Amino acid sequence: MTNSAPAGAQPAQTCCALTKIPVSAADAERLAPMFKALGDPVRLRMASLIATQPEVCVCEITPAFDLSSGTISHHLKSLRDAGLVDSERRGTFVYYWIRPEALAALSALLSVDCC
Amino acid sequence: MTNSAPAGAQPAQTCCALTKIPVSAADAERLAPMFKALGDPVRLRMASLIATQPEVCVCEITPAFDLSSGTISHHLKSLRDAGLVDSERRGTFVYYWIRPEALAALSALLSVDCC
DNA sequence: CCTCTGATTCGATATCTGTCAAGATAGACG
DNA sequence: CGTCTATCTTGACAGATATCGAATCAGAGG
Protein backbone atom coordinates (compact mmCIF):
# COMPACT_ATOMS: atom_id res chain seq x y z
CA MET A 1 0.00 0.00 0.00
CA THR A 2 2.21 2.77 -1.29
CA ASN A 3 1.48 6.37 -0.59
CA SER A 4 2.26 8.85 -3.31
CA ALA A 5 -0.25 11.53 -2.41
CA PRO A 6 -0.83 13.11 0.97
CA ALA A 7 -4.16 11.56 1.63
CA GLY A 8 -5.86 14.56 3.06
CA ALA A 9 -4.28 17.01 0.67
CA GLN A 10 -5.67 18.39 -2.52
CA PRO A 11 -8.00 16.32 -4.67
CA ALA A 12 -7.48 15.14 -8.22
CA GLN A 13 -6.66 18.31 -10.04
CA THR A 14 -6.90 16.63 -13.43
CA CYS A 15 -10.38 17.44 -14.52
CA CYS A 16 -12.18 15.09 -16.84
CA ALA A 17 -15.69 13.77 -17.23
CA LEU A 18 -14.80 10.72 -15.19
CA THR A 19 -14.10 12.98 -12.22
CA LYS A 20 -17.23 15.07 -12.54
CA ILE A 21 -20.05 12.65 -12.01
CA PRO A 22 -19.83 8.94 -11.18
CA VAL A 23 -20.27 6.86 -14.32
CA SER A 24 -23.69 5.23 -14.31
CA ALA A 25 -24.07 1.48 -14.40
CA ALA A 26 -25.54 1.77 -17.89
CA ASP A 27 -22.70 3.88 -19.21
CA ALA A 28 -20.21 1.54 -17.58
CA GLU A 29 -21.73 -1.43 -19.41
CA ARG A 30 -21.47 0.43 -22.67
CA LEU A 31 -17.98 1.87 -22.26
CA ALA A 32 -16.12 -0.84 -20.36
CA PRO A 33 -15.96 -3.20 -23.35
CA MET A 34 -14.11 -0.54 -25.32
CA PHE A 35 -11.55 -0.08 -22.56
CA LYS A 36 -11.30 -3.83 -22.30
CA ALA A 37 -10.52 -4.12 -25.99
CA LEU A 38 -7.66 -1.66 -25.55
CA GLY A 39 -6.58 -3.50 -22.41
CA ASP A 40 -4.31 -5.92 -24.22
CA PRO A 41 -0.93 -4.70 -25.47
CA VAL A 42 -1.34 -6.39 -28.83
CA ARG A 43 -4.78 -4.91 -29.42
CA LEU A 44 -3.72 -1.47 -28.24
CA ARG A 45 -0.94 -1.48 -30.82
CA MET A 46 -3.30 -2.85 -33.47
CA ALA A 47 -5.86 -0.16 -32.78
CA SER A 48 -3.17 2.48 -32.98
CA LEU A 49 -1.74 1.03 -36.16
CA ILE A 50 -5.18 1.10 -37.74
CA ALA A 51 -5.92 4.57 -36.41
CA THR A 52 -2.81 6.10 -37.90
CA GLN A 53 -3.98 5.39 -41.42
CA PRO A 54 -7.24 5.81 -43.29
CA GLU A 55 -7.46 2.06 -43.55
CA VAL A 56 -5.15 -0.90 -43.17
CA CYS A 57 -5.06 -4.25 -44.89
CA VAL A 58 -4.83 -7.33 -42.66
CA CYS A 59 -1.87 -8.28 -44.79
CA GLU A 60 -0.08 -5.25 -43.36
CA ILE A 61 -1.14 -5.94 -39.78
CA THR A 62 -0.14 -9.58 -39.66
CA PRO A 63 3.60 -9.12 -40.26
CA ALA A 64 3.72 -6.36 -37.62
CA PHE A 65 3.11 -8.92 -34.88
CA ASP A 66 4.80 -12.16 -34.03
CA LEU A 67 1.53 -14.06 -33.89
CA SER A 68 -0.32 -16.60 -35.98
CA SER A 69 -2.87 -15.30 -38.45
CA GLY A 70 -5.59 -16.97 -36.42
CA THR A 71 -4.63 -14.95 -33.39
CA ILE A 72 -4.49 -11.76 -35.44
CA SER A 73 -8.01 -12.42 -36.68
CA HIS A 74 -9.15 -13.11 -33.16
CA HIS A 75 -7.88 -9.77 -31.89
CA LEU A 76 -9.30 -7.88 -34.85
CA LYS A 77 -12.65 -9.45 -34.09
CA SER A 78 -12.38 -8.25 -30.48
CA LEU A 79 -11.75 -4.72 -31.65
CA ARG A 80 -14.64 -4.92 -34.07
CA ASP A 81 -17.02 -6.39 -31.50
CA ALA A 82 -16.10 -3.57 -29.14
CA GLY A 83 -17.07 -1.11 -31.84
CA LEU A 84 -13.61 0.38 -32.13
CA VAL A 85 -12.99 -0.60 -35.72
CA ASP A 86 -14.92 -1.69 -38.76
CA SER A 87 -13.87 -3.74 -41.75
CA GLU A 88 -14.65 -4.63 -45.31
CA ARG A 89 -13.47 -7.27 -47.71
CA ARG A 90 -12.31 -5.92 -51.05
CA GLY A 91 -11.33 -8.71 -53.35
CA THR A 92 -8.87 -11.00 -51.70
CA PHE A 93 -7.95 -8.54 -48.99
CA VAL A 94 -9.74 -7.28 -45.90
CA TYR A 95 -9.35 -3.70 -44.75
CA TYR A 96 -9.87 -2.29 -41.28
CA TRP A 97 -10.41 1.30 -40.24
CA ILE A 98 -10.94 3.05 -36.94
CA ARG A 99 -14.38 4.23 -35.81
CA PRO A 100 -13.80 7.82 -34.69
CA GLU A 101 -17.06 7.94 -32.74
CA ALA A 102 -15.77 5.18 -30.49
CA LEU A 103 -12.50 6.96 -29.78
CA ALA A 104 -14.46 10.13 -29.18
CA ALA A 105 -16.64 8.41 -26.60
CA LEU A 106 -13.61 7.28 -24.62
CA SER A 107 -11.91 10.59 -25.11
CA ALA A 108 -14.92 12.41 -23.76
CA LEU A 109 -14.65 10.40 -20.57
CA LEU A 110 -10.93 10.93 -20.04
CA SER A 111 -10.19 14.18 -21.77
CA VAL A 112 -8.86 16.95 -19.60
CA ASP A 113 -10.26 19.56 -21.95
CA CYS A 114 -13.74 19.36 -20.50
CA CYS A 115 -13.36 22.32 -18.18
CA MET B 1 -18.95 -7.34 -40.95
CA THR B 2 -20.99 -4.17 -40.95
CA ASN B 3 -20.02 -1.19 -43.01
CA SER B 4 -20.62 2.20 -41.49
CA ALA B 5 -17.91 4.16 -43.28
CA PRO B 6 -17.25 4.27 -46.98
CA ALA B 7 -14.00 2.42 -46.92
CA GLY B 8 -12.14 4.55 -49.35
CA ALA B 9 -13.53 7.83 -48.08
CA GLN B 10 -11.99 10.22 -45.61
CA PRO B 11 -9.81 8.97 -42.78
CA ALA B 12 -10.37 9.21 -39.06
CA GLN B 13 -10.95 12.90 -38.54
CA THR B 14 -10.82 12.62 -34.78
CA CYS B 15 -7.27 13.54 -34.00
CA CYS B 16 -5.61 12.11 -30.94
CA ALA B 17 -2.17 10.80 -30.05
CA LEU B 18 -3.30 7.28 -30.80
CA THR B 19 -3.88 8.30 -34.41
CA LYS B 20 -0.61 10.15 -34.85
CA ILE B 21 2.03 7.52 -34.39
CA PRO B 22 1.58 3.80 -33.76
CA VAL B 23 1.91 3.03 -30.07
CA SER B 24 5.23 1.32 -29.41
CA ALA B 25 5.36 -2.14 -27.91
CA ALA B 26 6.87 -0.66 -24.76
CA ASP B 27 4.18 1.97 -24.37
CA ALA B 28 1.54 -0.66 -25.03
CA GLU B 29 2.89 -2.82 -22.22
CA ARG B 30 2.77 0.15 -19.89
CA LEU B 31 -0.63 1.54 -20.87
CA ALA B 32 -2.68 -1.55 -21.64
CA PRO B 33 -2.96 -2.61 -17.98
CA MET B 34 -4.61 0.71 -17.19
CA PHE B 35 -7.15 0.26 -19.95
CA LYS B 36 -7.64 -3.28 -18.81
CA ALA B 37 -8.40 -2.12 -15.28
CA LEU B 38 -11.07 0.18 -16.65
CA GLY B 39 -12.34 -2.60 -18.88
CA ASP B 40 -14.69 -4.02 -16.30
CA PRO B 41 -17.98 -2.21 -15.64
CA VAL B 42 -17.61 -2.55 -11.89
CA ARG B 43 -14.10 -1.16 -11.86
CA LEU B 44 -14.97 1.64 -14.25
CA ARG B 45 -17.71 2.77 -11.89
CA MET B 46 -15.40 2.34 -8.90
CA ALA B 47 -12.68 4.41 -10.51
CA SER B 48 -15.18 7.10 -11.34
CA LEU B 49 -16.67 7.04 -7.87
CA ILE B 50 -13.21 7.47 -6.41
CA ALA B 51 -12.25 10.14 -8.94
CA THR B 52 -15.25 12.32 -8.18
CA GLN B 53 -14.07 12.91 -4.62
CA PRO B 54 -10.76 13.79 -3.02
CA GLU B 55 -10.76 10.41 -1.35
CA VAL B 56 -13.29 7.69 -0.63
CA CYS B 57 -13.57 5.23 2.24
CA VAL B 58 -14.00 1.58 1.30
CA CYS B 59 -16.98 1.66 3.61
CA GLU B 60 -18.61 4.04 1.11
CA ILE B 61 -17.63 2.00 -1.92
CA THR B 62 -18.86 -1.35 -0.69
CA PRO B 63 -22.56 -0.47 -0.34
CA ALA B 64 -22.54 1.09 -3.82
CA PHE B 65 -22.14 -2.33 -5.39
CA ASP B 66 -24.03 -5.55 -4.99
CA LEU B 67 -20.90 -7.57 -4.35
CA SER B 68 -19.19 -9.24 -1.42
CA SER B 69 -16.54 -7.26 0.42
CA GLY B 70 -13.95 -9.76 -0.77
CA THR B 71 -14.81 -8.99 -4.36
CA ILE B 72 -14.73 -5.25 -3.70
CA SER B 73 -11.24 -5.59 -2.26
CA HIS B 74 -10.19 -7.64 -5.25
CA HIS B 75 -11.30 -4.96 -7.71
CA LEU B 76 -9.73 -2.18 -5.67
CA LYS B 77 -6.48 -4.11 -5.73
CA SER B 78 -6.73 -4.38 -9.53
CA LEU B 79 -7.13 -0.62 -9.79
CA ARG B 80 -4.21 -0.08 -7.43
CA ASP B 81 -1.96 -2.57 -9.25
CA ALA B 82 -2.73 -0.79 -12.50
CA GLY B 83 -1.58 2.44 -10.91
CA LEU B 84 -4.92 4.15 -11.24
CA VAL B 85 -5.57 4.64 -7.55
CA ASP B 86 -3.66 4.64 -4.30
CA SER B 87 -4.79 3.95 -0.76
CA GLU B 88 -4.02 4.44 2.88
CA ARG B 89 -5.32 2.98 6.09
CA ARG B 90 -6.32 5.56 8.65
CA GLY B 91 -7.43 3.92 11.84
CA THR B 92 -10.09 1.37 11.17
CA PHE B 93 -10.88 2.68 7.71
CA VAL B 94 -9.06 2.54 4.38
CA TYR B 95 -9.25 5.43 1.95
CA TYR B 96 -8.69 5.38 -1.80
CA TRP B 97 -7.94 8.27 -4.10
CA ILE B 98 -7.32 8.60 -7.82
CA ARG B 99 -3.84 9.07 -9.26
CA PRO B 100 -4.22 11.98 -11.65
CA GLU B 101 -0.99 11.16 -13.48
CA ALA B 102 -2.49 7.85 -14.53
CA LEU B 103 -5.63 9.43 -15.88
CA ALA B 104 -3.48 12.01 -17.61
CA ALA B 105 -1.47 9.30 -19.33
CA LEU B 106 -4.59 7.71 -20.77
CA SER B 107 -6.06 11.08 -21.59
CA ALA B 108 -2.93 12.05 -23.49
CA LEU B 109 -3.40 9.02 -25.70
CA LEU B 110 -7.07 9.55 -26.43
CA SER B 111 -7.57 13.27 -26.09
CA VAL B 112 -8.73 15.11 -29.15
CA ASP B 113 -7.12 18.31 -27.95
CA CYS B 114 -3.68 17.38 -29.17
CA CYS B 115 -3.89 19.23 -32.47
C1' DC C 1 -6.18 -8.55 27.01
C1' DC C 2 -10.67 -9.43 24.66
C1' DT C 3 -13.71 -8.48 21.44
C1' DC C 4 -15.88 -5.89 17.79
C1' DT C 5 -15.76 -3.94 13.17
C1' DG C 6 -13.70 -2.85 8.67
C1' DA C 7 -10.83 -4.59 5.22
C1' DT C 8 -7.88 -7.93 3.01
C1' DT C 9 -6.43 -12.52 1.89
C1' DC C 10 -7.27 -17.31 0.81
C1' DG C 11 -9.41 -21.45 -1.25
C1' DA C 12 -12.59 -23.02 -4.46
C1' DT C 13 -15.01 -22.79 -8.73
C1' DA C 14 -17.00 -21.45 -13.09
C1' DT C 15 -16.07 -18.66 -16.82
C1' DC C 16 -13.25 -16.06 -19.95
C1' DT C 17 -9.00 -15.19 -22.66
C1' DG C 18 -4.83 -15.58 -25.62
C1' DT C 19 -2.62 -18.66 -28.33
C1' DC C 20 -1.67 -22.16 -31.86
C1' DA C 21 -2.49 -25.57 -35.40
C1' DA C 22 -5.59 -27.18 -38.54
C1' DG C 23 -9.56 -26.83 -41.24
C1' DA C 24 -13.01 -23.96 -43.77
C1' DT C 25 -14.24 -19.72 -46.87
C1' DA C 26 -13.85 -16.24 -50.28
C1' DG C 27 -12.16 -14.36 -54.24
C1' DA C 28 -8.70 -14.15 -58.13
C1' DC C 29 -6.86 -16.11 -61.98
C1' DG C 30 -5.71 -19.27 -65.02
C1' DC D 1 -13.74 -25.71 -62.69
C1' DG D 2 -9.31 -26.22 -60.07
C1' DT D 3 -5.97 -24.15 -57.47
C1' DC D 4 -3.64 -20.54 -55.06
C1' DT D 5 -3.60 -16.96 -51.51
C1' DA D 6 -5.63 -14.19 -47.83
C1' DT D 7 -8.54 -14.38 -44.09
C1' DC D 8 -11.59 -16.35 -40.82
C1' DT D 9 -13.35 -20.13 -37.88
C1' DT D 10 -12.87 -24.09 -34.95
C1' DG D 11 -10.98 -27.10 -31.39
C1' DA D 12 -7.92 -27.55 -27.80
C1' DC D 13 -5.59 -25.97 -23.81
C1' DA D 14 -3.01 -23.41 -20.31
C1' DG D 15 -3.48 -19.47 -17.73
C1' DA D 16 -6.15 -15.48 -16.07
C1' DT D 17 -10.37 -13.53 -13.94
C1' DA D 18 -14.75 -12.64 -11.27
C1' DT D 19 -17.06 -14.22 -7.63
C1' DC D 20 -18.29 -16.08 -3.03
C1' DG D 21 -17.69 -17.46 1.69
C1' DA D 22 -14.50 -18.33 5.26
C1' DA D 23 -10.43 -17.22 7.55
C1' DT D 24 -7.19 -13.71 8.77
C1' DC D 25 -5.39 -9.19 9.94
C1' DA D 26 -5.48 -4.26 11.86
C1' DG D 27 -6.96 -1.04 14.88
C1' DA D 28 -10.38 0.88 18.37
C1' DG D 29 -12.33 0.74 22.66
C1' DG D 30 -13.78 -1.24 26.50
Side-chain angles (χ1 to χ4, degrees), chain B residues 18-34:
Chain B
L18 191 73
T19 70
K20 293 276 202 179
I21 296 172
V23 172
S24 72
D27 282 347
E29 292 292 337
R30 184 173 55 86
L31 294 165
M34 299 190 198

Side-chain angles (χ1 to χ4, degrees), chain B residues 54-71:
Chain B
E55 61 181 19
V56 187
C57 176
V58 173
C59 63
E60 280 184 78
I61 299 173
T62 302
F65 298 88
D66 194 22
L67 294 169
S68 73
S69 68
T71 301

Side-chain angles (χ1 to χ4, degrees), chain B residues 7-115:
Chain B
Q10 89 265 32
Q13 70 275 50
T14 301
C15 170
C16 61
L18 191 73
T19 70
K20 293 276 202 179
I21 296 172
V23 172
S24 72
D27 282 347
E29 292 292 337
R30 184 173 55 86
L31 294 165
M34 299 190 198
F35 282 120
K36 187 175 191 174
L38 296 179
D40 178 275
V42 169
R43 285 194 299 267
L44 182 56
R45 285 170 57 205
M46 269 183 192
S48 178
L49 180 60
I50 293 169
T52 52
Q53 301 171 66
E55 61 181 19
V56 187
C57 176
V58 173
C59 63
E60 280 184 78
I61 299 173
T62 302
F65 298 88
D66 194 22
L67 294 169
S68 73
S69 68
T71 301
I72 299 287
S73 272
H74 165 73
H75 283 305
L76 288 172
K77 177 165 159 46
S78 295
L79 289 172
R80 184 148 35 79
D81 289 349
L84 288 169
V85 303
D86 208 340
S87 68
E88 182 187 56
R89 171 178 285 269
R90 217 169 305 139
T92 309
F93 301 94
V94 176
Y95 296 85
Y96 280 77
W97 60 89
I98 204 77
R99 303 212 329 135
E101 325 86 88
L103 286 189
L106 299 185
S107 176
L109 200 64
L110 292 175
S111 245
V112 293
D113 64 7
C114 81
C115 62

Side-chain angles (χ1 to χ4, degrees), chain A residues 36 43 68 71 74-75 91-92:
Chain A
K36 187 175 191 176
R43 284 193 300 267
S68 72
T71 301
H74 167 72
H75 284 307
T92 309

Side-chain angles (χ1 to χ4, degrees), chain A residues 70-107:
Chain A
T71 301
I72 299 288
S73 271
H74 167 72
H75 284 307
L76 288 172
K77 177 166 159 46
S78 295
L79 289 171
R80 185 148 35 81
D81 288 349
L84 289 169
V85 303
D86 209 341
S87 67
E88 183 187 57
R89 171 179 283 271
R90 218 169 307 140
T92 309
F93 301 95
V94 176
Y95 296 84
Y96 280 77
W97 60 90
I98 204 75
R99 302 211 330 134
E101 326 86 87
L103 286 190
L106 299 185
S107 176

